[in-house]
Amino acid sequence: MKTAIVYFSKHHGNTKKLVDAIAAAHEVTLINAADGAGASLKEFDRIGLASGIYAGSFGKPLIAFAERELPAGKPVFFISTSASPSGKAYLKSIRRVTESKSCKELGAYHCTGFNTFGPFKLVGGTAKGHPTEEEIQAAVKFYENL
Ligand SMILES: Cc1cc2nc3c(=O)[nH]c(=O)nc-3n(C[C@H](O)[C@H](O)[C@H](O)COP(=O)(O)O)c2cc1C
C-alpha cells in the first residue's frame, strides 16, 4: 500500500521525530508541508497528516496543503504532538478538511511534545523529554496497526 505522510513540525521537530521513525521502519514518502508546495498526493493509496498543535489547531501550512492537494475520498490518518496529553479536541481543525472531502479516517495518534511557547520558556518549557522513545515507538506501532 503506497503511503505518504504530509507533516508540519516547526517548534522543536517533535512531530518529525514520529514520522521519521515510521519512515525509517516502513516504505513511506514524507512530504514537508512547509516546502512541498508542488507535491501531488494522487498516486498514494492513503495519506497521513501529521502536525504539532499551534493555538489549538494543526499547523496552517498543513491545513492549506490538505485543502489544496488532498484528493477527495482518499483514506487518511492523523498524527499530532502537543503540550497537552489529549489531542482529541485538536483533530477538529484537520477533520474540517478531510470530512469536507469525504476522506475515510483510519485512525489518530497523539502524544505530548516539548513546548517552550511564550511564558512556558521562562520555566524551562513543558512536556520536557517528549516525545519519549516509547512514544515514538508507539507511533510506529500505530502505523503498523492501521
Ligand atoms: C505557537 C505555538 C502554539 C502552541 N499551542 C498549543 C496549544 O494550543 N495546545 C497545546 O497543547 N500545545 C500547544 N503548543 C505546543 C506544541 O503543540 C508542542 O510543543 C508540539 O509538540 C510542537 O510540535 P513540533 O515540534 O512538531 O512543531 C504550541 C506551541 C507553539 C510554538
Side-chain angles (χ1 to χ4, degrees):
M1 181 156 304
K2 232 174 152 188
T3 306
I5 300 179
V6 187
Y7 70 92
F8 183 68
S9 181
K10 71 162 187 188
H11 189 35
H12 286 289
N14 297 328
T15 313
K16 188 160 189 303
K17 287 180 187 160
L18 307 184
V19 301
D20 279 348
I22 292 169
H26 298 280
E27 211 168 291
V28 167
T29 299
L30 295 184
I31 299 168
N32 185 350
D35 59 28
S40 167
L41 300 179
K42 288 199 187 99
E43 67 180 286
F44 298 98
D45 301 309
R46 58 184 183 179
I47 309 294
L49 298 165
S51 182
I53 299 300
Y54 317 99
S57 172
F58 272 52
K60 288 201 165 57
L62 179 75
I63 290 175
F65 190 99
E67 277 170 344
R68 219 173 42 239
E69 302 292 346
L70 183 65
K74 197 73 86 175
V76 291
F77 59 92
F78 305 125
I79 294 172
S80 56
T81 67
S82 75
S84 146
S86 172
K88 280 204 179 105
Y90 304 137
L91 289 173
K92 211 168 140 191
S93 58
I94 190 71
R95 277 187 179 139
R96 188 182 54 75
V97 180
T98 58
E99 287 177 0
S100 77
K101 294 186 184 228
S102 305
C103 294
K104 184 182 172 205
E105 191 178 316
L106 303 174
Y109 178 82
H110 176 87
C111 71
T112 49
F114 182 46
N115 171 38
T116 54
F117 178 56
F120 297 114
K121 194 173 183 172
L122 303 175
V123 294
T126 61
K128 277 181 221 168
H130 293 268
T132 61
E133 190 50 38
E134 205 173 46
E135 288 165 331
I136 292 169
Q137 289 313 315
V140 177
K141 275 271 164 298
F142 159 78
Y143 178 80
E144 288 167 356
N145 291 330
L146 278 172

